[in-house]
């Protein structure tokens, strides 16, 4: 009898203890529960989304509109996009005309959060596109400028989530360090290549900033946006340039149709060196982050330029 009573008592006590512990555990866990501290934000395209994740870490939930291997220039926002951004506090965009569809999306969505243009305060390079001088929107191809973009992102996140400001500042600092390492590494890859051989042909004018930073000339049949059509005269000129100068570094891009580049390469009797990741990350494991994307491009470009005459 005694034995049974003791055992029953133990079990009752055990139940109380368990319930108390559970309540205590829940009380401890709830304030720190993931969904309570996560700041919902959106980013217009995959590369920017990755940079926001790098700075925001575990404190942010990032929704991406234009995904990997997709072309932001010709994107058409959908009602689903309006729903996707509606619950977010911040919407990170590139600006400089990169997201031509943004005014339409803003109008359709009456976006209640704050629009953050990450290139604000950075001086763009300009280029002539179809006779007009325009800012080159592909600033993300210059890791030096991406350092400032990361700081702009950290500042915006800190304003929206002041409790995380030290966290964001620390992560932005680490990311700047990774970008510095990337720039040092890229300079080493390009160093052995004489300036005269530093020429690359690709689909559209996405690599002007990279070219400016590392002393490389990029040629492209399509202009600053993939929306523009390459004229027959421009294509014929490019083929002449390739034949005359002996350019062998010819690339397709992950976001655009490879047919034009393949035709130019065939007519100029050169082979296509593979793919560069221009305006988007990829499903492909070699470019699922911006740091990987940049490494792949530098490695591919440096290897191909060695064959230029
Ligand atoms: Zn582009």
């Amino acid at each position: 009898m005694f034995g049974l009573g003791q055992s029953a008592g133990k079990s009752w006590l055990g139940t109380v203890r368990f319930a108390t512990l559970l309540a205590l555990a829940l009380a401890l866990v709830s304030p720190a529960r993931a969904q309570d501290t996560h700041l919902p934000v959106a980013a217009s395209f995959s590369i920017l989304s990755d940079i926001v994740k790098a700075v925001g870490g575990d404190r942010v939930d990032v929704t991406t509109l234009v995904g990997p291997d997709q072309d932001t220039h010709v994107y058409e926002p959908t009602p689903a996009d309006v729903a996707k951004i509606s619950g977010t506090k911040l919407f990170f965009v590139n600006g400089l005309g990169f997201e031509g569809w943004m005014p339409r999306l803003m109008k359709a969505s009456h976006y209640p959060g704050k629009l953050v243009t990450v290139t604000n305060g950075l001086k763009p390079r300009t280029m002539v596109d179809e006779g007009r001088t325009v800012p080159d929107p592909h600033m993300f191809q210059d890791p030096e400028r991406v350092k400032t973009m990361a700081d702009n992102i950290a500042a915006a996140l800190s304003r929206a989530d002041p409790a995380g400001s030290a966290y964001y500042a620390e992560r932005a600092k680490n990311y700047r360090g990774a970008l510095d390492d990337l720039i040092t590494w890229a300079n080493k890859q390009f160093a052995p290549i004489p300036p005269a051989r530093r020429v690359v042909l690709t689909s559209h004018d996405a690599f002007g900033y990279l070219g400016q930073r590392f002393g490389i000339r990029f040629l492209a049949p399509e202009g600053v946006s993939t929306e523009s059509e390459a004229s027959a005269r421009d294509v014929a000129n490019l083929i002449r340039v390739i034949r005359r100068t002996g350019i062998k570094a010819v690339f397709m891009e992950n976001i655009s149709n490879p047919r034009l580049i393949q035709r130019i390469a065939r007519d100029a009797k050169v082979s296509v060196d593979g793919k560069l990741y221009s305006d988007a990350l990829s499903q492909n494991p070699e470019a699922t982050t911006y740091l990987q994307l940049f490494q792949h491009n530098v490695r591919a470009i440096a290897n191909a330029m060695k064959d230029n005459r």
Side-chain angles (χ1 to χ4, degrees), residues 140-144 146-147 175-190 210 213-214 289-299:
F140 47 87
Q141 291 294 352
D142 176 13
E144 190 61 47
V146 172
K147 283 157 64 179
Y175 198 61
R176 290 178 72 102
L179 292 166
D180 277 332
D181 290 348
L182 195 65
I183 295 167
T184 306
W185 172 82
N187 274 316
K188 272 192 199 135
Q189 307 304 305
F190 294 133
L210 191 143
R213 179 67 56 201
F214 299 101
T289 67
Y290 173 69
L291 297 177
Q292 286 175 346
L293 168 150
F294 200 82
Q295 269 181 51
H296 166 90
N297 287 349
V298 167
R299 207 175 274 131

Side-chain angles (χ1 to χ4, degrees), residues 248-268:
K248 299 270 194 251
V250 176
F251 287 96
M252 305 178 284
E253 291 171 23
N254 66 320
I255 60 153
S256 58
N257 189 321
R259 274 197 305 248
L260 181 58
I261 280 296
Q262 283 163 342
R263 204 189 91 209
I264 291 172
R266 200 174 53 235
D267 289 356

Side-chain angles (χ1 to χ4, degrees), residues 71 73 98 137-138 140 204-206 223-226 253 255 278-279:
D71 184 351
H73 295 294
F98 187 57
H138 305 88
F140 47 87
H204 88 292
D205 257 326
V224 67
S225 166
T226 50
E253 291 171 23
I255 60 153
S278 50
D279 297 4

Side-chain angles (χ1 to χ4, degrees), residues 4-36:
L4 192 74
Q6 196 184 39
S7 147
K10 244 186 191 167
S11 129
W12 176 80
L13 197 68
T15 310
V16 169
R17 273 198 188 136
F18 178 72
T20 313
L21 281 174
L22 187 71
L24 206 82
L26 281 175
L28 284 172
V29 165
S30 323
R33 245 153 72 199
Q35 59 266 45
D36 293 341

